[in-house]
Amino acid sequence: MQRGALALGLTCAIVGTFAPAVALADVSAEATLADRYSPVVRLVAQTEECGSGEPYSPIDADAVLGNDQVALRGPWQESNLVSVAPTASDLAVGLKNYHLDFPGDALRPGCTYEQWERSLGTAAIPTTYAHVVSESGKTALQYWFFYIYNDFNNKHEGDWEMIQLVFDTPDAIAALAVKPAEVGYSQHDGAERAGWNDSKLEKVGGTHPVVYPAEGSHANYYEPALYLGSSAAEGVGCDNTRGPSRELRPAVRVVPADRTAMVAEYPWLAYQGHWGEAHAGFYNGPTGPNTQVKWDHPITWASTSWRPSAFAVPGGVNDVPRATDLFCEGVAAGSTVLTAAVRGGPAVFLAALVALILVVLAVVRMQWRPSQPFALARRRTLGQILVASARVYRENPRLYMTIGLLFLPVSLVVAGIQQLLFNLIGLDVLSDVTGQTNAAVVAAALSIGLVVMPIVLTVVQAMVASSLTSASEERELLPRTAYAAIKERIGPLIQALAATVLVVVALQLTVVGVPVAVWVLVRWSLFAQCVVLERLPWARALRRSHLLVRGHWLHVAWVTLVVVGVALLIGPLIGVVLLLVTPLSLVAVNVVSGIVYVLTIPYAAIATTYVYYDLRVREQTEHEPLVLPAEAVLD
């Protein structure tokens, strides 16, 4: 027997030298190997039907065949229905460019596919297909998973994913005597490599690898985390595998190595078409495992497509707006818009083009000059505010950069307060148990995060308002002068800020009060200038801001949206670009975006101070025709 095994091994090694891949013939050895290393699948738990979490399981592909809710469609455009309830035998003839069409609309999934999978009942048992192939003197053991729907940025019906174990042996018989050399988990168009003894590879019972499929995309990862992808191989967007998880031990169905036996047992493995309805681009249903290079050439695929790691975001809710957060949310929002555009057809693209033209026209027609940055008491359009703010910042960069540094210690303090508060009220436990997408955790995090911007902007606005007054009086602008100017007004500033935060947070926590909270924020947005420049106590400062904004709420909100919004987003946006085009680590990218964010806050404060002076002039001349002074024609 030993001589026979040795001869078989030598034969496979010799053949592997001249052929790209050779399927093994000993089904018994394959079955033993597949059972020994069968994977443990941990999916993101779904707490309620049609809610967040992963509703789909890797199921038996036969569950969707012979089902009268599934249609087989041809590649032609009209009347392309071939049959209803196609069977595995119907697919065995190949049918390249045909599509299996499941019930539902891939671009409008709703809860259709989730409910359909549940309706399949016991037919949809968790299943994985084991496939053993040798190539170039090595043996690959693959486990394939079939999901009925991919609910990621590239939404589509049907989804085939897999993991692969590689043995440094020529056949399955020899592989039974050794441990795997390495493992690869498929992730979108690529895969991530791990050594069998790597710490990131979790194993149950010493031999069963644990795989964490990402919520929606089913990309496979080694650990629970939030992963970033910025290429086709990694997937553009964010993959979430964070718990809590539901654990599956899929039934292992071994695919015979011999092609004739394979097609006899699983006729659908001869199917060359798509497992999902037809759509353009990445919305199209995927083809099956047998059509992919890795099916017959697993070692070649491993050597060319596996990468050493995936990019995981450091854990925890962070108050500091990060490039990673904006990246995840931005890609998701962008994919939603793109999906809607594809679904809506040419009309959506035409509407987007019209909107873009209107925005360009609005910018072109905007009045930018005269700005007269040091003539404070004058009315200004949004364009004039932008230009005046830029000129002031450009002439005093050291002052405003120094003021902006306030953001760093304040944000760290608030982050500490957040962690302390989570510990005291138990939200840290809730976050661990239910995940950070839980509504209570999100509401609390947003409420605490809401404190950061008022703190920073209040202090910065007060210092900037004082500095602008000094500039208009041609006094020397120094950081210590700006700090000293608000020292005696710090009490009213803190009191006004505390009152604002309490009211806004209370309204926000009611959920229905969020619009009122926004309205209040705009009405009280100028209290820092009122405290410092008009030297008012906190309550009168809030009322004064309210009176200034009255009748001009949309104007103030618009300026705040454009100026403050851009100032807050430009740092994370730069971070997103760095994520896409540089090899910088996530920490480095977030530090860079944070620094940029710090530098933009003073600009926003300058702009809002100009809004304050604009409203003061409007208050005085509300019912009088505005006559510009002669020097206003010059800039």
Side-chain angles (χ1 to χ4, degrees), residues 9-39:
L10 290 173
T11 301
C12 289
I14 293 171
V15 174
T17 303
F18 297 99
V22 177
L24 301 179
D26 193 325
V27 176
S28 178
E30 293 169 356
T32 303
L33 196 67
D35 182 67
R36 177 180 297 178
Y37 295 101
S38 61

Side-chain angles (χ1 to χ4, degrees), residues 463-510:
M463 296 175 66
V464 166
S466 176
S467 72
L468 282 178
T469 302
S470 298
S472 68
E473 297 172 357
E474 299 185 351
R475 288 185 288 167
E476 186 178 10
L477 299 179
L478 297 172
R480 65 172 180 271
T481 305
Y483 281 97
I486 68 163
K487 185 176 180 180
E488 62 179 278
R489 306 302 301 160
I490 201 69
L493 283 171
I494 292 176
Q495 290 171 317
L497 174 61
T500 302
V501 169
L502 287 174
V503 171
V504 170
V505 169
L507 288 169
Q508 181 192 5
L509 289 177
T510 65

Side-chain angles (χ1 to χ4, degrees), residues 38-42 126-128 204-205 208 210 247-252:
S38 61
V40 175
V41 178
R42 291 179 182 165
T127 301
T128 184
V204 173
H208 302 282
V210 177
E247 184 172 298
L248 301 177
R249 300 290 185 97
V252 179

